[in-house]
Amino acid sequence: MTQHSPKSPQFFLTSPSPCPYLDGQFERKVFTHLVGDKAPQMNDLLTQGGFRRSQNIAYRPACEACRACVSVRIVADRFTPSKNLKRISKVNRDLIGVEHAAEPTSEQYSLFRRYLDARHRKGGMSEMTVLDYAMMVEDTHVQTKIIEYRQRDADSFVTGSSNGPLLGVALSDRMSDGYSMVYSFFDPDQQHRSLGTWMILDHIARAQSDGLPHVYLGYWVDGSAKMEYKTRFRPQEHLTATGWEVFGD
C-alpha cells in the first residue's frame, strides 16, 4: 500500500477531461490524499483554501483556460433568510435532522438511487453501486457525519429523533470554522419542499447553534444554471486571488 505523509502532502494533477458544467471547456484538478492523524487539520486548511473533499481525496480545479469555478461559503453568523427562504423553512417545519456516524444504510442507498435516477440519470455518479455509495460515506479520515432528515413522529419532541420516512440525507464535514457540505440528496417526489435548499438552511442553523461562522457549499460556476441556487444564501463570501471577499452585498 502506498504511504502518504500527512506532514508533507504530495499534490498531483489530473489530465484534461470535458467540463461537466460548461460546454466546450476542459477541466483539470489538483489533488492530494487526506490520510493519517493530521487529516482533519489538513482538511480545514485545504477547504479554507478552496479545496473540496471526495472520500480521502482533497481536490480543486486547476483548469488552464478557465476560472469559472469559485469557492463559496455562507457567512452563517450574519445570515438573514429572505421571505422565500422563510417560506421553505415553514413548509419543512415537520422535519427533523439527526446526526449519525458516517455509516451507510440500505435505506439511504435506496433514496440515493431514486434521487440519481430522477435528477442525474446522465451524470458521472449515475452508475454508482451500493459498494460505491458505501465508499463515498465511509472513506474518510476527517470528522464526517451523516445527517438524516425525516418527518417527525409523535415522540420526536421528546426523543430528538424520528422513525418517520427518510426524505433527505446530507454527508457533511464538521470543521474548526463551520460545516462543509460534501454531498446531499433527497426524495425527488417532494419537490414542493425544496429539500436541497432546506438542508442548507439546516446547516446554517447548526453552524449558528455551534458558534461556527461558515457553511461551505463547494463551487459556484458562473454561467451554469444548475449552480445558481448557491448565490441565494447571503451574506456569502467567494474565494478570489486576494482571499475571501463578500459577494453581492
Side-chain angles (χ1 to χ4, degrees), residues 9 17 69 78 86 108 113-114 125 166 202 231 233 235 245:
S17 60
C69 291
R78 294 197 288 115
K86 288 180 179 178
Q108 292 168 13
R113 277 262 45 106
R114 288 178 55 211
M125 302 174 73
L166 180 65
D202 179 72
T231 62
F233 304 90
E245 295 183 2

Side-chain angles (χ1 to χ4, degrees), residues 161-228:
S161 61
S162 173
N163 292 314
L166 180 65
L167 298 186
V169 175
L171 182 66
S172 300
D173 292 342
R174 166 69 184 264
M175 305 188 342
S176 62
D177 69 332
Y179 284 89
S180 177
M181 298 186 69
V182 177
Y183 193 77
S184 61
F185 54 94
F186 50 84
D187 187 338
D189 296 331
Q190 300 279 331
Q191 294 187 34
H192 70 285
R193 289 183 176 274
S194 299
L195 287 166
T197 298
W198 159 244
M199 286 190 281
I200 295 174
L201 290 172
D202 179 72
H203 277 71
I204 295 171
R206 290 173 185 272
Q208 291 172 338
S209 177
D210 293 344
L212 300 172
H214 302 120
V215 174
Y216 289 82
L217 295 184
Y219 301 115
W220 168 65
V221 182
D222 192 10
S224 174
K226 59 185 175 182
M227 288 287 190
E228 201 60 36

Side-chain angles (χ1 to χ4, degrees), residues 117-191:
D117 292 344
R119 302 288 294 266
H120 301 286
R121 184 178 295 273
K122 296 182 180 180
M125 302 174 73
S126 61
E127 301 300 321
M128 285 182 65
T129 66
V130 65
L131 293 179
D132 295 328
Y133 175 75
M135 286 292 291
M136 181 177 77
V137 174
E138 293 179 330
D139 194 2
T140 175
H141 292 252
V142 303
Q143 190 176 350
T144 304
K145 297 291 184 180
I146 279 278
I147 306 176
E148 294 186 344
Y149 296 89
R150 299 178 182 272
Q151 285 186 290
R152 294 182 182 273
D153 57 23
D155 297 327
S156 292
F157 290 99
V158 176
T159 65
S161 61
S162 173
N163 292 314
L166 180 65
L167 298 186
V169 175
L171 182 66
S172 300
D173 292 342
R174 166 69 184 264
M175 305 188 342
S176 62
D177 69 332
Y179 284 89
S180 177
M181 298 186 69
V182 177
Y183 193 77
S184 61
F185 54 94
F186 50 84
D187 187 338
D189 296 331
Q190 300 279 331
Q191 294 187 34

Side-chain angles (χ1 to χ4, degrees), residues 6-182:
K7 294 184 179 180
S8 55
Q10 292 180 295
F11 290 86
F12 307 91
L13 187 64
T14 66
S15 299
S17 60
C19 176
Y21 302 111
L22 299 176
D23 293 338
Q25 296 287 350
F26 287 83
E27 68 170 0
R28 300 188 78 177
K29 296 176 182 177
V30 60
F31 70 94
T32 189
H33 295 83
L34 290 170
V35 295
D37 294 340
K38 299 297 184 182
Q41 296 95 316
M42 183 62 66
N43 188 46
D44 278 14
L45 290 172
L46 291 176
T47 301
Q48 292 160 6
F51 281 71
R52 292 285 285 165
R53 184 182 71 81
S54 177
Q55 297 178 218
N56 67 0
I57 298 291
Y59 68 91
R60 67 168 298 170
C63 306
E64 296 177 355
C66 180
R67 295 294 182 269
C69 291
V70 178
S71 295
V72 175
R73 68 185 185 187
I74 302 165
V75 185
D77 52 1
R78 294 197 288 115
F79 173 75
T80 301
S82 64
K83 289 183 179 180
N84 179 261
L85 295 178
K86 288 180 179 178
R87 180 192 64 78
I88 291 172
S89 291
K90 185 176 181 180
V91 169
N92 291 288
R93 63 185 180 274
D94 62 329
L95 301 188
I96 183 171
V98 179
E99 287 190 12
H100 301 276
E103 298 175 354
T105 68
S106 57
E107 185 183 26
Q108 292 168 13
Y109 180 71
S110 177
L111 181 62
F112 177 68
R113 277 262 45 106
R114 288 178 55 211
Y115 171 77
L116 290 182
D117 292 344
R119 302 288 294 266
H120 301 286
R121 184 178 295 273
K122 296 182 180 180
M125 302 174 73
S126 61
E127 301 300 321
M128 285 182 65
T129 66
V130 65
L131 293 179
D132 295 328
Y133 175 75
M135 286 292 291
M136 181 177 77
V137 174
E138 293 179 330
D139 194 2
T140 175
H141 292 252
V142 303
Q143 190 176 350
T144 304
K145 297 291 184 180
I146 279 278
I147 306 176
E148 294 186 344
Y149 296 89
R150 299 178 182 272
Q151 285 186 290
R152 294 182 182 273
D153 57 23
D155 297 327
S156 292
F157 290 99
V158 176
T159 65
S161 61
S162 173
N163 292 314
L166 180 65
L167 298 186
V169 175
L171 182 66
S172 300
D173 292 342
R174 166 69 184 264
M175 305 188 342
S176 62
D177 69 332
Y179 284 89
S180 177
M181 298 186 69
V182 177

